[in-house]
């Protein structure tokens, strides 16, 4: 454990030196959004309203708490305070994983995945609020085993931070645990949403701002246009709705296709939930990991910070000794994290230009992300859905009953 904590301290000191500008590495200056966008939102939110006239605000209402959190350190500049809050969330994730490993049911492998995964993704982890949401997500999954109501409340709160934590309860065992966790999540989310809507105008404006999003240049669908540029497609890559998206012919069709794939992913999860029969202590984290992989891969937008979620969920899976995701899927996510740091911010200009280096890096990253998704879903299905007997073979319970009857 000492080696784990020491490695965490060294790697995190390096990340802090990068975001504070002490170490100048290619692409380490990722603080522009903090100083311009986040700090601007902070000024608006402090007045008691949401930035509902700013289309770049595309987050659920509890995200305001993350943006306002640096105000807890009023003696620091906003960006510096934001980095330290993210650092604290990073430390909280490690502490949760270490605490979970104390009872012997979980191992320190999860801690090592987190310690290694964050620096592989790079300084962007401290320049977005996703690490705060990931801390809530990790706490949710670790609490499910003993406190399903508390886990549900955390999932409900996380949903109002950044939506994806609603997927964390998809693998809860049927029966009392499902009712407790899901009802707690629903009540928490509804009550908090109502409180925000009553207290701060514009709390639900983010719902309409997401409607006209296009295809972001790092998404799976963007590869169509990256390659199309080399075969006569004349669209452009521009800053649009807070991210660099493709604009031009056929973009709306590809965006609609991505939404269709997300609906298919939801349909697969629903089918899995209906057919799953074997639930173990590992199933909730394995299912959550597969679900978030599905919706990340099929999204119109795959921002670099999305990988923080996957690293956190991968760490929870790796900490469970019997997890089916602890091998190849987790390893692939770590490789994807390293490639993500290369495509953003290191070689982002190449990605936007759709040159060979940018397209090759992005293609490899997205191919491995798809592979991790397919493998994770396949392993989840095999571990939880019983295999029907082949034609002509007796069903095992029936065969056993006939043997007992013949005695």
């Amino acid at each position: 454990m000492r080696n784990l904590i020491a490695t965490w301290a060294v790697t995190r000191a390096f990340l802090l030196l990068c975001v504070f500008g002490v170490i100048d590495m290619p692409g380490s200056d990722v603080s522009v959004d903090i100083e311009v966008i986040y700090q601007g939102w902070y000024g608006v939110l402090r007045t008691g309203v949401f930035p509902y006239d700013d289309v770049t605000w595309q987050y659920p209402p509890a995200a305001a708490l993350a943006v306002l959190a640096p105000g807890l350190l009023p003696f620091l500049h906003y960006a510096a305070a934001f980095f330290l809050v993210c650092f604290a969330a990073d430390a909280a994730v490690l502490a949760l994983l270490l605490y979970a490993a104390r009872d012997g049911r979980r191992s320190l492998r999860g801690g090592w995945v987190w310690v290694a995964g964050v620096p592989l993704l790079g300084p962007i982890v401290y320049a977005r609020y996703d690490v705060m949401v990931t801390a809530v997500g990790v706490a949710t999954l670790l609490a499910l085993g003993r406190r399903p109501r508390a886990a549900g409340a955390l999932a409900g709160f996380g949903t109002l931070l950044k939506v994806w934590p609603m997927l964390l309860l998809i693998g809860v065992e049927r029966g009392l645990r499902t009712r407790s966790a899901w009802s707690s999540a629903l009540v928490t989310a509804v009550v908090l949403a109502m409180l925000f809507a009553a207290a701060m105008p514009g709390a639900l404006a983010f719902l309409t701002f997401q409607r006209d999003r296009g295809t972001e240049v790092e998404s799976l669908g963007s590869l169509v246009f990256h390659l199309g540029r080399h075969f006569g497609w004349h669209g452009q890559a521009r800053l649009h709705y807070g991210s660099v998206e493709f604009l031009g012919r056929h973009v709306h069709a590809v965006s609609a296709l991505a939404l269709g794939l997300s609906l298919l992913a939801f349909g697969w999860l629903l089918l899995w939930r209906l057919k799953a029969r074997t639930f173990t202590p590992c199933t909730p984290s394995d299912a959550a990991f597969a679900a978030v992989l599905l919706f990340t891969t099929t999204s119109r937008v795959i921002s670099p910070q999305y990988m923080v979620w996957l690293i956190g969920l991968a760490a929870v899976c790796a900490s469970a000794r019997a997890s089916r995701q602890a091998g190849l899927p987790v390893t692939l996510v770590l490789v994807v994290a390293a490639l993500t740091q290369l495509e953003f911010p290191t070689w982002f200009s190449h990605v936007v230009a759709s040159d060979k280096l940018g397209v090759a890096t992005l293609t490899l990253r997205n191919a491995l992300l798809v592979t991790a998704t397919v493998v994770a879903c396949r392993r989840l299905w095999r571990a939880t859905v019983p295999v029907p007997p082949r034609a002509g073979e007796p069903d095992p319970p029936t065969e056993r009953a006939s043997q007992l009857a013949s005695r």
Side-chain angles (χ1 to χ4, degrees):
M1 185 179 292
R2 290 181 180 178
N3 291 336
L4 178 60
I5 295 174
T7 305
W8 178 86
V10 171
T11 55
R12 274 37 177 197
F14 178 78
L15 289 180
L16 285 174
L17 291 174
C18 287
V19 295
F20 278 106
V22 178
I23 296 179
D24 185 17
M25 59 178 289
S28 63
D29 184 15
V30 292
S31 62
V32 176
D33 285 352
I34 304 299
E35 296 173 347
V36 177
I37 299 176
Y38 278 48
Q39 191 166 358
W41 290 339
Y42 176 78
V44 175
L45 290 167
R46 287 184 64 188
T47 67
V49 299
F50 282 89
Y52 54 83
D53 57 348
D54 183 355
V55 294
T56 62
W57 176 262
Q58 300 161 11
Y59 307 105
L65 301 178
V67 176
L68 291 170
L72 298 173
L73 303 173
F75 49 88
L76 292 176
H77 183 267
Y78 181 83
F82 189 92
F83 298 147
L84 291 180
V85 171
C86 289
F87 171 78
D90 178 3
V93 173
L94 180 64
L96 287 167
L97 292 168
L98 293 179
Y99 183 80
R102 292 180 63 183
D103 63 4
R105 293 188 303 171
R106 293 182 179 271
S107 72
L108 292 176
R109 289 184 305 173
W112 281 111
V113 168
W114 180 252
V115 167
V118 168
L120 285 175
L121 187 56
I124 191 70
V125 177
Y126 288 173
R128 301 293 187 272
Y129 83 89
D130 295 80
V131 67
M132 306 179 203
V133 190
T134 301
V136 175
V138 170
T140 300
L141 289 177
L142 293 178
L144 269 174
R146 297 180 178 178
R147 297 185 176 93
R149 287 188 180 277
L154 286 168
F157 173 62
T159 299
L160 290 189
L161 276 172
K162 206 161 188 180
V163 180
W164 66 266
M166 68 184 298
L167 299 170
L168 298 180
L169 304 181
I170 189 68
V172 181
E173 185 179 1
R174 290 191 183 92
L176 180 60
R177 286 186 178 275
T178 290
R179 292 192 295 272
S180 297
W182 289 15
S183 61
S184 178
L186 180 62
V187 169
T188 302
V190 170
V191 169
L192 287 177
M194 292 175 63
L195 289 175
F196 274 110
M200 299 178 67
L204 303 180
F206 77 100
L207 295 172
T208 58
F209 291 165
Q210 287 282 350
R211 180 179 54 199
D212 296 325
R213 290 299 300 263
T215 296
E216 191 253 355
V217 295
E218 297 166 84
S219 66
L220 186 62
S222 73
L223 293 174
V224 174
F225 303 111
H226 283 297
L227 297 175
R229 280 178 155 183
H230 296 273
F231 294 96
W233 184 74
H234 299 295
Q236 296 178 325
R238 290 184 178 179
L239 188 64
H240 188 242
Y241 284 88
S243 64
V244 180
E245 298 180 356
F246 278 117
L247 303 175
R249 294 183 61 190
H250 310 302
V251 171
H252 288 298
V254 172
S255 298
L257 179 61
L259 288 174
L261 288 175
S262 294
L263 289 175
L264 287 176
F266 177 79
W268 184 89
L269 283 173
L270 181 60
L271 179 64
W272 168 79
R273 179 71 190 183
L274 292 174
K275 286 185 170 291
R277 293 292 181 271
T278 305
F279 290 83
T280 70
C282 300
T283 303
S285 55
D286 285 358
F289 181 59
V292 175
L293 268 170
L294 273 171
F295 282 95
T296 300
T297 304
T298 59
S299 174
R300 295 173 293 173
V301 179
I302 305 181
S303 296
Q305 60 267 26
Y306 291 11
M307 298 304 116
V308 184
W309 319 339
L310 296 175
I311 294 170
L313 298 182
V316 177
C317 290
S319 71
R321 300 181 186 278
S323 172
R324 297 294 299 272
Q325 311 288 20
L328 182 59
V330 168
T331 302
L332 287 173
V333 164
L334 294 179
V335 176
V336 165
L339 289 171
T340 298
Q341 182 174 186
L342 288 179
E343 63 90 1
F344 183 91
T346 307
W347 292 335
F348 192 59
S349 60
H350 296 277
V351 172
V352 175
S354 300
D355 64 19
K356 292 181 180 179
L357 178 61
V359 174
T361 305
L362 186 63
T363 300
L364 180 58
R365 194 284 298 268
N366 287 350
L368 291 178
L369 191 58
V370 171
T371 303
T373 303
V374 172
V375 173
C377 291
R378 185 181 181 186
R379 290 190 174 190
L380 177 66
W381 186 279
R382 287 187 168 185
T384 56
V385 178
V387 179
R390 297 178 182 178
E393 291 185 358
D395 185 64
T398 304
E399 183 180 21
R400 176 64 175 166
S402 62
Q403 290 175 353
L404 291 174
S406 62
R407 291 182 180 180

